[in-house]
Amino acid sequence: MLRPEHCLRLLPPVATPGLAASAAPFCCPLHRRGAVHQFRPPRAPALRLGGKPSSAVRASAGPDAAVAPAPPEMPQREVARALAEKAVARLGPRLLPSAVPEDVAEFRNGAGNAVGSLDVRRGAPGSSIDFMLESTLHCKVPNGAIDITSILIFLNTMTDAPHFLLELIQGSSTSIVVILDLLPRKDLALHPDYLQKYYENTRMDEQRSKIEELPQARPYRSPSLFVRSACSPTAVMVSIDCGQGGEGTLEEIVHGQLAAVSKEFLQIWLDCCADSTAEMDDAERDCLLKRDQIVRSKSIEVDLTASLPRMFDPDVSSRVISEIRKAFGVQEP
């Protein structure tokens, strides 16, 4: 979950009901020219990317707290849901059913201004799939909202093929940050055959250029050197800003070019990575496992432990982080 670190740091601290009115205004760098996205009444009852809505959102904060409404059905959620359904349909029996507790599958804070969902499906025994994780976060603040949608599909040490990553971060109705990549699991300079197999032969750069050549797109550079070093040279890392009054243009881009490129990234991953196996000796496998663990631990450290406690009550964020640690195979510090 390699999200833009500087954006997440600007989320407001967790507000108690008595302090909600005095929370600092949201000042997200994702919108530079456009108007801040205004929170609108929900059109869809469910928050999760997949599955059925449950009563966990209401139950997670007690009977006296107002229920945080689900956000409107945004274009990026629709794109992510279509990708998740495509992945599940292809992977089929290689994925186990979700075992995430209800109070983590859907959760909210006591102040009622943030809601989230998490779904984790582990790989079946004998499968090269380690886990598939889908998550959404929506935080309402006095002058807008931030919405984050993620899909991660990680492989285990039966293969050295890349992982799949999609992260969509919207802090304005006219702008969105996109991080889309097949995360390499080897040093590409030391393994040119790996670079050729997964990135050159699959013509990943052509897909990246379809997004970067949009007139509304600007390169996104994470302030975290670790995040930038973990991604491939063909990663889509852009901020798409359509300017004031550009809500319709952004929606067209998300449903059009972004949806098409994301679908192609996933198709390449499904065709070239999901079914891949690799013969490795113990030393190679240990090195691969160590690298995976570093990436997972660092993403939790940089991302979740910094952002979730600012959005959700300590008990809620603790439950969610614990489930993600379990999926990532990362022990508590």
Side-chain angles (χ1 to χ4, degrees):
M1 300 170 70
L2 306 173
R3 301 184 185 121
E5 185 183 4
H6 74 279
C7 173
L8 293 176
R9 282 202 302 263
L10 292 176
L11 287 171
V14 173
T16 61
L19 298 177
S22 63
F26 182 62
C27 180
C28 180
L30 301 188
H31 65 282
R32 305 207 184 272
R33 299 187 299 272
V36 175
H37 167 68
Q38 295 299 317
F39 189 76
R40 299 186 297 274
R43 299 196 303 266
L47 175 68
R48 299 175 65 183
L49 288 179
K52 300 178 181 179
S54 76
S55 60
V57 173
R58 180 182 296 276
S60 63
D64 297 328
V67 174
E73 189 67 359
M74 299 176 178
Q76 70 267 25
R77 293 279 182 90
E78 297 170 358
V79 169
R81 181 180 294 108
L83 291 179
E85 291 173 353
K86 180 180 178 68
V88 170
R90 172 71 177 268
L91 298 176
R94 284 178 283 176
L95 290 172
L96 295 174
S98 175
V100 175
E102 276 200 351
D103 60 357
V104 174
E106 298 181 20
F107 53 92
R108 69 181 185 88
N109 65 4
N113 65 345
V115 291
S117 73
L118 176 69
D119 187 57
V120 179
R121 298 184 64 175
R122 303 306 301 263
S127 166
S128 62
I129 306 298
D130 192 0
F131 65 86
M132 176 175 173
L133 182 150
E134 304 168 56
S135 71
T136 64
L137 293 173
H138 186 88
C139 184
K140 180 184 176 184
V141 289
N143 63 343
I146 182 169
D147 189 88
I148 305 173
T149 304
S150 311
I151 299 177
L152 296 165
I153 314 177
F154 272 40
L155 299 168
N156 58 32
T157 54
M158 289 180 61
T159 178
D160 59 4
H163 306 307
F164 177 82
L165 165 68
L166 172 69
E167 202 96 56
L168 303 173
I169 307 99
Q170 184 165 359
S172 154
S173 60
T174 60
S175 63
I176 190 170
V177 163
V178 179
I179 301 178
L180 176 62
D181 196 19
L182 304 189
L183 288 174
R185 300 170 71 195
K186 288 189 173 184
D187 185 319
L188 299 181
L190 292 177
H191 300 277
D193 54 334
Y194 190 95
L195 177 67
Q196 183 177 24
K197 178 179 181 180
Y198 293 114
Y199 301 99
E200 292 182 3
N201 292 349
T202 54
R203 305 171 78 172
M204 295 292 293
D205 238 19
E206 293 182 11
Q207 299 303 320
R208 176 193 55 78
S209 65
K210 291 178 183 178
I211 298 296
E212 291 191 354
E213 289 174 358
L214 290 171
Q216 299 87 354
R218 298 291 181 272
Y220 172 76
R221 295 290 180 262
S222 170
S224 167
L225 291 176
F226 178 84
V227 170
R228 284 149 61 182
S229 70
C231 291
S232 80
T234 62
V236 174
M237 299 185 73
V238 299
S239 174
I240 299 173
D241 191 342
C242 298
Q244 187 171 1
E247 293 88 350
T249 302
L250 180 62
E251 185 168 342
E252 289 177 4
I253 290 173
V254 171
H255 277 140
Q257 294 95 325
L258 179 57
V261 169
S262 300
K263 183 179 179 181
E264 189 61 30
F265 260 69
L266 179 62
Q267 189 64 55
I268 290 170
W269 184 86
L270 289 170
D271 291 342
C272 301
C273 304
D275 298 323
S276 173
T277 58
E279 293 185 8
M280 292 178 278
D281 58 33
D282 290 343
E284 289 176 309
R285 204 175 303 277
D286 288 345
C287 183
L288 188 71
L289 180 60
K290 181 178 179 180
R291 190 183 191 281
D292 278 350
Q293 290 297 98
I294 290 173
V295 169
R296 298 177 191 200
S297 297
K298 191 68 175 178
S299 65
I300 290 176
E301 173 190 331
V302 169
D303 178 5
L304 296 172
T305 57
S307 62
L308 277 178
R310 299 188 182 192
M311 299 171 68
F312 298 95
D313 306 312
D315 60 329
V316 175
S317 59
S318 177
R319 289 199 304 269
V320 175
I321 292 173
S322 177
E323 284 297 319
I324 293 177
R325 286 188 182 277
K326 188 187 301 182
F328 279 21
V330 174
Q331 300 296 320
E332 297 283 348

